[in-house]
Amino acid sequence: MRFVSRGGIAALVVLSAGGAAVAQDVEELRVVYRDSSYVTAVMEAAEAEFEAAHEGVDIVLEPIAASSRDYYTKVSLMNQSASTAADIIYEDGFYVTADASAEFLYPLDEMLAGWDDWSKFNEAAKANGTSFADGKVYSIPLGTDTQGIWYNRKLFEAAGLPADWQPTSWADILDAASSIKEAHPDVTPLNIYVTKASGEAATMRGMLNLLSGTPGGLSGNLLDPEDQKWIVGSQGFRDTLAFMKEAYESGYLVSDSDLQEPRLQNLVAEQMATAGEVAMFIDGSWIWSRWEESGNAPWAEWQETLGIAKIPTQDGADPYFTSMSGGWTIAMSPTTPDKELAFDFLTTVANYENSLTYSVLAGSIGVRDDVNTDPAFLDANPTAEFFSSLVQYTNFRPALELYPQVSSLIQETMESVTVGGASVEDAAARYDRQLARLAGSDNVKSAE
C-alpha cells in the first residue's frame, strides 16, 4: 500500500482480493518539528495514540534538523503558502506573537475553553503561547525554563557566607561578591552576561532577570503590553545598569577578554564552575544537564558543591523574587482543513503522559502543575522542585517583531557602561534616543 498526498486528504491505495487497486480517502495531518531525541519521542508517542483513536487519520511527522533560528526560517518559508504549510507546528514561544500577527497560527481560545486539562497548566507558563499583540492564545506550551543564581557552597563557606545562601536584595548579591573577592582573590565572584558577545543571553539572563525585579517590572520599564509602547526614561533600567557597572568596576565579573568571548556561556558552566573558579553565576535551569555523565562536562560532585538561590527583586519588595522564562509550544496552522481534528492532536501531544515524557527527557520545567509534582519528574531532575517553584515569579520577553533590534540595543547599552566605561546616565539617554528611533515616536512613552 502507499499514500498519495492530496492536500489534507491522502489517498490510501490498497490491493483488493482480485489484485485491483482501490483508493480510500485517509485524512492526513502533517506535523513539523525541530528534530531532537526528546521531541521525536513525544511526537511518535502522540502519533501512535492519536491514530489508534482516530481511524482513517494518518499523522505524518516531518522533523527538521536545524538550529533554532534556521528551523524558524524554514518553517516561516513553509508557512508562506497553504500548499506547503504544515497542519501542526512545533513553535518556539519566542516567535508566537510574530507568527500570529503574520497569520501563520490559528487562535485556540475557544477550543481551549472546552478542554478540561487547560486548567492544569500554570497561568504564568500560558503566557508563552499567548500573543503580545492581541492577548489570544495561539499555542499550547510543552515545557519551560526559569533562572536562578548558582553558587559554590564551598567557596561561600570559606568566605564566611552561609551554605544555604538566599539573597533578599541586589545589595545582598554585591555584599556576597565583596566577601568572595576578599577571601578568594583568584576566583571570579559573579558572572552576569553584559556584552554583545553573549547575544540574547546578555539581554534575557543579564538585563531582564534584573530589570523584571525593579518597581514596575518589565511592563513599567521595558514594554507596556496594554498599549504595546516601549518605555523610555525608566528608573528601573538605569538602576539595572548601575548594578552592572558597580559589579564590573568592583572587579566582580570575569575579565574583559572573557566578557568578549562568544562562548562565555560554555566557559562558565563547563570550565569555570567545575574548576571552582566562579563563585556565583546567574543562569538557567537547564545548566545542570551539562554536568551529568552524559553531558558536555561530567562533574560527579556538582550536587554537593553547588547551591541555587532565587533572584531577588531589587530591594526585596513584593513579589520578592523574579525570573525569566522561554520554552517551546505546539500550535496549528490556520490553513489546516479540519481544525477540530488538529486541536485533538495538539491536546494529545500536550496531555499528561506526553507532557511528563517531554519534561523528563528534555530536562525542562513542566508547564502543567500535575507534571511538576509527579515523582517521576522530580526523580529525573535533581533541580526540578526548585526551578518549578520559580514559575510563579517568572516573566517572558515581549516577543514583538521589533524585539530583536531592541535586544541588540540593550546589549550595546550594557556593554557601554561596563567595558566601555560610559556613565549610566549617558548610556541610558542614548538608549532612550535609539529606542525612539527604532520604534517610532508614536510607539514609545515615558515611564510613570
Side-chain angles (χ1 to χ4, degrees), residues 39-370:
V39 181
T40 295
V42 169
M43 293 300 180
E44 289 180 346
E47 174 189 23
E49 182 180 347
F50 190 83
E51 289 182 348
H54 296 77
E55 185 177 356
V57 179
D58 181 48
I59 299 297
V60 180
L61 300 180
E62 299 180 7
I64 295 176
S67 67
S68 178
R69 180 175 296 180
D70 289 344
Y71 170 79
Y72 175 71
T73 299
K74 291 181 180 182
V75 173
S76 293
L77 290 173
M78 294 170 66
N79 285 334
Q80 299 297 324
S81 170
S83 64
T84 56
D87 300 288
I88 306 295
I89 305 165
Y90 183 62
E91 177 88 359
D92 188 338
F94 181 62
Y95 295 112
V96 166
T97 297
D99 284 349
S101 297
E103 299 184 348
F104 293 157
L105 306 179
Y106 185 76
L108 304 176
D109 299 78
E110 291 185 9
M111 293 179 171
L112 289 168
W115 185 40
D116 290 342
D117 277 21
W118 190 233
S119 64
K120 299 174 183 177
F121 283 70
N122 186 280
E123 289 300 320
K126 290 178 181 179
N128 202 35
T130 302
S131 168
F132 270 80
D134 62 16
K136 294 180 181 179
V137 178
Y138 287 86
S139 210
I140 301 176
L142 294 177
T144 191
D145 51 63
T146 52
Q147 317 278 314
I149 307 174
W150 297 84
Y151 67 95
N152 188 304
R153 289 194 185 98
K154 296 179 180 179
L155 293 175
F156 266 54
E157 287 184 304
L161 297 166
D164 57 349
W165 179 71
Q166 176 55 65
T168 59
S169 68
W170 293 359
D172 286 350
I173 298 174
L174 294 175
D175 287 346
S178 176
S179 296
I180 291 292
K181 184 175 177 63
E182 183 176 351
H184 309 286
D186 297 329
V187 169
T188 295
L190 173 66
N191 182 67
I192 309 175
Y193 303 112
V194 296
T195 64
K196 293 181 290 184
S198 292
E200 185 60 23
T203 305
M204 181 179 178
R205 286 181 253 167
M207 170 62 73
L208 301 188
N209 264 328
L210 295 169
L211 184 62
S212 60
T214 62
L218 296 186
S219 62
N221 295 283
L222 182 64
L223 177 93
D224 187 340
E226 293 297 322
D227 55 19
Q228 294 182 47
K229 290 191 176 183
W230 297 91
I231 308 297
V232 295
S234 159
Q235 186 60 48
F237 191 86
R238 284 159 170 75
D239 289 348
T240 303
L241 292 178
F243 175 87
M244 293 177 173
K245 187 173 183 66
E246 181 175 353
Y248 174 80
E249 292 185 346
S250 298
Y252 299 155
L253 306 185
V254 298
S255 68
D256 282 7
S257 60
D258 285 341
L259 285 175
Q260 300 293 0
E261 168 58 61
R263 295 184 64 256
L264 178 59
Q265 299 169 65
N266 295 336
L267 176 66
V268 170
E270 298 175 12
Q271 297 182 36
M272 295 180 68
T274 59
E277 296 173 352
V278 59
M280 291 179 281
F281 49 106
I282 298 177
D283 230 310
S285 56
W286 61 87
I287 294 296
W288 66 274
S289 63
R290 300 188 183 194
W291 305 316
E292 293 292 281
E293 188 174 348
S294 59
N296 293 338
W299 182 17
E301 299 82 20
W302 75 266
Q303 292 189 59
E304 292 74 36
T305 304
L306 296 181
I308 323 167
K310 303 180 184 74
I311 302 171
T313 54
Q314 181 178 2
D315 296 313
D318 188 21
Y320 314 112
F321 305 107
T322 189
S323 182
M324 292 296 301
S325 292
W328 289 77
T329 67
I330 191 80
M332 79 164 78
S333 168
T335 64
T336 188
D338 192 332
K339 304 294 192 299
E340 292 294 338
L341 190 71
F343 182 74
D344 283 351
F345 185 75
L346 295 184
T347 57
T348 300
V349 173
N351 68 20
Y352 172 72
E353 291 80 8
N354 289 326
S355 290
L356 176 61
T357 298
Y358 184 96
S359 294
V360 168
L361 296 184
S364 69
I365 303 303
V367 292
R368 295 176 57 122
D369 294 333
D370 49 4

